[in-house]
Amino acid sequence: MNTSRRTFLTAAAALAITPDTAFAARALRVASDWSLATADVEGDIAPRVLQRVHGRAPEGLSGALYRNGPAKFRRPGGSSQHWFDGDGLIRRFGIQDGQATLAARFADTPKRRQETRLDAMVMPGFGTVADPRAEIGSADDANPANTSVHKVGDAIWALWEAGSPMAMDPDTLETRGFVTLRPDLRGMPFLAHPRIEPDGRIWNLGVNGNRAVVWRLSADGTLEDARVIPLPRASYIHDFTATARHLVIVLQPWVHARNVMPVSTAYDWLPDEGTQVLVIDKDDLDARRVYEAPAFGFFHLGDAWEEAGGTIRFDVCAHADMSFASQGAQDILNGVPLGNEPARLAMMTLSPDGQGRLEHAGRAAEFPRGDARRAGERRRYSLHTLGEEPDRPLATAVGVTDWDQGRTHAYDFGTGHVVDEMVHVPKPGLSGEADAWLVGPTINLREGVTELHVLDMARIEDGPVCTWRADVAMPAAFHGNWAAA
């Protein structure tokens, strides 16, 4: 089947509903101890040196942590109505010679330029209704570039899930423009969670209903192949995973049911249909198998691996349903306690008999990830956040689950911090899975600032070996990655 740009690009619905101006006022009135997590940043953050407030930087730790997440939600003429719809702010935390620096810039998207001119958030999004003033000619006109960021070749790509990657300069964070992988594929969707093989090859999906583009790129971002495949159902897909030989696409029972905007209103939760897992051979996209599993919702998966007998395993942060997507993330933006159960860490096992089962680790957790050198291969550990509660929906801790021992080791920063996803950075010259630093930021709510921490993965319970503090606070980010110097 040939990839067709026309069949994938649909104009966003211009629903004639004026943004609720009271929404912004309500969001600003509601007080919570974690409100800094969804506060507005009014402009770019100029490069600055961070103050070291604890410990010393590990010798040989040198590179940059890039983080991406929404950081502008409210304007006088209208506000975003969902946490996922704010403008993407790309942060660069540099570490070199024991010193840490910070800079952050908004992706200079058509969306942001138009909304700056109108002084109103007008674009449709995951949970935001389109304003009649929105000028939309393609999906990229509404692209906030706000979900993840990856180093690709000589650029970093700020990623959304329904439009093109946005290329930016890795040093200055200057926006270069949307990436067009092939002229006839301009504006095609490109998920925010590509799967990258140890040699750098990039696999990704672009999803539209019950079809997906399978993207295959070289390490420098050159397109090697793009092909449309059918999906067994039109599930919401934010993430997928992969073994060394297979793509693994989890089709949860949150299924597209109607062509309406915003996106969150177009899906129905159908638990009686269970979850399906589509496994596709990387070398032959027509070679596929569908596994049946219990119903669960999810946003994020860990890397998968395949055992000698054909069993496939991967970790997932599983939700009982997808009410967080439809309502919970909107409540976070308003500072409203949720009452929703957070996602829980589990190991998914796909057996040769075609059945899938979840082995729950008993922990509320999110943002699972592992050692990138072992992507697609068997691994022992999952790195993730911890500490979410129904009435406090943001993490306070970082954890490492040891699947061999069935134990989770953690460090809890306490309720005075909001903990972002952390990344696994191998220690120089060492190859063990636990021979790594964990690097990531928190929001120190008491001090009203962002901090950057380094922990030893093998001694995570001892807490940070080094902490730097900024003189500004940035809201919670979603995803990021480390680029070694």
Side-chain angles (χ1 to χ4, degrees), residues 28-320:
L28 294 172
R29 283 200 309 269
V30 176
S32 70
D33 64 340
W34 40 267
S35 59
L36 277 176
T38 57
D40 285 317
V41 174
E42 297 304 328
D44 296 342
I45 296 173
R48 62 201 59 210
V49 175
L50 304 187
Q51 177 189 7
R52 181 164 53 85
V53 295
H54 170 74
R56 290 187 177 277
E59 188 172 348
L61 181 62
S62 183
L65 172 65
Y66 296 97
R67 300 282 300 152
N68 191 2
K72 180 63 177 176
F73 307 95
R74 308 166 185 94
R75 294 182 184 272
S79 297
S80 297
Q81 298 155 21
H82 197 284
W83 189 19
F84 299 171
D85 294 337
D87 290 338
L89 180 72
I90 290 74
R91 297 91 154 155
R92 185 187 190 279
F93 294 92
I95 300 177
Q96 189 169 10
D97 299 328
Q99 187 176 74
T101 58
L102 167 66
R105 295 182 74 167
F106 282 98
D108 184 20
T109 61
K111 171 188 182 297
R112 182 167 171 81
R113 292 196 297 272
Q114 185 179 155
E115 292 177 337
T116 298
R117 173 171 53 84
L118 295 173
D119 206 11
M121 308 297 276
V122 299
M123 287 295 178
F126 190 90
T128 299
V129 175
D131 184 286
R133 292 170 289 179
E135 300 170 7
I136 307 170
S138 73
D140 279 337
D141 288 332
N143 186 343
N146 70 356
T147 308
S148 187
V149 56
H150 286 260
K151 181 78 160 48
V152 180
D154 66 351
I156 55 171
W157 288 7
L159 303 179
W160 190 41
E161 64 187 32
S164 305
M166 173 65 82
M168 303 176 72
D169 186 281
D171 297 319
T172 68
L173 304 182
E174 181 181 3
T175 297
R176 295 177 179 174
F178 287 124
V179 176
T180 299
L181 294 169
R182 205 170 70 199
D184 62 314
L185 304 179
R186 182 184 299 274
M188 297 280 278
F190 192 90
L191 290 186
H193 290 284
R195 290 291 161 178
I196 301 176
E197 296 181 344
D199 66 359
R201 171 173 279 170
I202 301 166
W203 292 87
N204 206 359
L205 302 179
V207 180
N208 185 297
N210 62 358
R211 291 172 298 164
V213 176
V214 176
W215 299 97
R216 192 182 79 223
L217 285 67
S218 64
D220 66 1
T222 301
L223 180 65
E224 295 179 345
D225 192 26
R227 181 180 167 190
V228 172
I229 63 168
L231 301 175
R233 65 166 66 146
S235 294
Y236 173 70
I237 299 174
H238 176 77
D239 193 5
F240 73 108
T241 188
T243 72
R245 296 176 49 226
H246 293 98
L247 305 178
V248 181
I249 304 172
V250 180
L251 302 166
Q252 62 185 319
W254 200 39
V255 181
H256 189 271
R258 60 196 67 86
N259 292 319
V260 297
M261 292 291 288
V263 171
S264 60
T265 64
Y267 289 79
D268 286 342
W269 178 250
L270 305 173
D272 290 344
E273 296 190 3
T275 295
Q276 295 179 314
V277 184
L278 174 62
V279 176
I280 303 174
D281 192 314
K282 288 179 176 178
D283 293 331
D284 179 3
L285 299 184
D286 292 322
R288 52 175 51 206
R289 184 175 185 185
V290 177
Y291 295 74
E292 302 293 334
F296 64 89
F298 79 100
F299 283 101
H300 302 117
L301 309 171
D303 285 314
W305 70 90
E306 187 171 355
E307 299 174 348
T311 296
I312 293 174
R313 302 185 193 276
F314 57 91
D315 43 334
V316 54
C317 290
H319 287 269

